[in-house]
Amino acid sequence: MKFLRYGPRGQEKPAVLDAEGQVRCLSAHVTDIDGSFLAQRDVIMAGIDLASLPHVAEPGRIAEPVARVGKFVCIGLNYRDHAIEAGMPIPSEPIVFMKATSAIIGPDDDVLLPPTSMKSDWEVELGVVIGKDCRYVSEADAMDHVAGLCVVNDLSEREYQLERGGQWDKGKGCDTFGPFGPWLVTLDEVADIDNLDMWLDVNGVRMQTGNTSTLIFNVPHIVHYLSQFMSLQAGDIISTGTPFGVGMGRKPPVYLAEGDVMTLGIAGLGAQRQQVRRWPG
């Protein structure tokens, strides 16, 4: 099943995408798609006939598919080729950092560069949404706690991240630096989580081409690993890392500028499009 949310900011409605690609409104049955809904999803959806749901011919803005995200946890340098292009050691354990939930926007919303940013960069990533609370979960049981997958653009301000001291978080959590969606795709609709093609273009030029088969740490291991250090709760998002092709790694480096357009996607999980503007927009 593909869940989504649509409508103006602050007025989003829950929906599903049917087999024909039509948006069907869930608002008569579900308040919103959030952690509370995800924890009870199977029970709630079992009593709903999707064919009877209202068809939304013109949904307008597509929002982030999960509301009120509790934690936005990210894994760094999780593709060998990206670690090499970044000039950093191949990690022996997952590198963990947090992205501010205030960075979250819809998949096609504008990205606003911070006023002083000169080194903002793109990163297409596989996102994992937690559907059932867990802590100290085994790798074998980890996927039982996953609600589904999504596309994430883990935007990064490289000067803030790498040249300003301290943790990476300050370059990762800028407002609008966390587009995700368009859908939350349940695991039964994903043919092979370990073989998903991913891509990102800037102004129509292919920058990133990758596949989840080359992840250093796969999704079950990541969920297991994170649960040793923090509880994972329904509605939390984990962004699992980006493959080769970020702007920082090019010779010479290429960074985002006002007017640029990013398009990105992952096989079976949908695509995003963001226009780049400069704060305050």
Side-chain angles (χ1 to χ4, degrees):
M1 194 168 294
K2 296 181 176 73
F3 292 98
L4 69 148
R5 299 168 68 244
Y6 69 96
R9 192 180 304 277
Q11 302 176 46
E12 295 90 347
K13 294 182 178 180
V16 294
L17 201 70
D18 68 19
E20 287 71 46
Q22 303 295 317
V23 175
R24 300 276 184 168
C25 185
L26 274 172
S27 60
H29 305 273
V30 176
T31 302
D32 209 343
I33 297 170
D34 56 11
S36 177
F37 165 75
L38 294 176
Q40 307 171 69
R41 182 195 73 196
D42 292 344
V43 173
I44 294 171
M45 296 304 297
I48 298 175
D49 176 12
L50 297 187
S52 70
L53 296 174
H55 170 227
V56 184
E58 297 183 9
R61 172 181 177 263
I62 302 299
E64 59 275 17
V66 180
R68 292 174 289 281
V69 171
K71 293 191 289 297
F72 199 158
V73 190
C74 301
I75 306 298
L77 305 178
N78 199 20
Y79 289 79
R80 184 177 299 271
D81 54 4
H82 173 55
I84 292 170
E85 74 171 337
M88 298 182 184
I90 307 298
S92 58
E93 292 192 34
I95 294 172
V96 180
F97 61 92
M98 307 293 283
K99 202 171 182 78
T101 56
S102 54
I104 291 172
I105 56 173
D108 301 328
D109 291 342
D110 289 346
V111 164
L112 303 181
L113 303 179
T116 63
S117 171
M118 300 299 292
K119 297 182 179 181
S120 288
D121 204 347
W122 55 83
E123 294 189 17
V124 60
E125 305 199 2
L126 173 68
V128 177
V129 177
I130 298 299
K132 184 168 64 173
D133 294 6
C134 62
R135 57 185 60 83
Y136 309 118
V137 69
S138 69
E139 191 166 330
D141 294 336
M143 297 306 291
D144 293 339
H145 298 267
V146 172
L149 308 176
C150 61
V151 182
V152 173
N153 189 353
D154 174 23
L155 286 132
S156 310
E157 213 303 336
R158 301 301 189 188
E159 179 191 354
Y160 300 176
Q161 177 191 0
L162 301 172
E163 301 173 31
R164 299 286 294 271
Q167 302 293 318
W168 287 6
D169 302 40
K170 66 180 75 172
K172 295 286 190 171
C174 306
D175 288 356
T176 76
F177 272 29
F180 82 100
W183 315 313
L184 168 60
V185 182
T186 55
L187 296 178
D188 59 295
E189 292 208 7
V190 179
D192 185 355
I193 193 173
D194 295 317
N195 187 25
L196 298 176
D197 289 330
M198 53 206 306
W199 57 273
L200 182 145
D201 295 349
V202 179
N203 301 327
V205 177
R206 182 60 45 92
M207 296 295 184
Q208 290 186 277
T209 302
N211 187 284
T212 56
S213 63
T214 63
L215 280 165
I216 298 172
F217 306 106
N218 66 15
V219 172
H221 182 76
I222 290 168
V223 173
H224 153 73
Y225 184 86
L226 290 174
S227 78
Q228 310 307 302
F229 304 101
M230 65 188 82
S231 62
L232 297 175
Q233 298 159 334
D236 288 349
I237 304 170
I238 304 167
S239 201
T240 59
T242 199
F244 174 86
V246 300
M248 174 180 67
R250 301 181 74 85
K251 309 290 185 198
V254 176
Y255 295 113
L256 293 167
E258 188 168 14
D260 285 346
V261 174
M262 292 174 285
T263 51
L264 58 145
I266 299 177
L269 306 184
Q272 303 182 357
R273 181 188 185 278
Q274 295 113 31
Q275 173 104 31
V276 178
R277 298 164 59 196
R278 188 167 289 276
W279 191 267

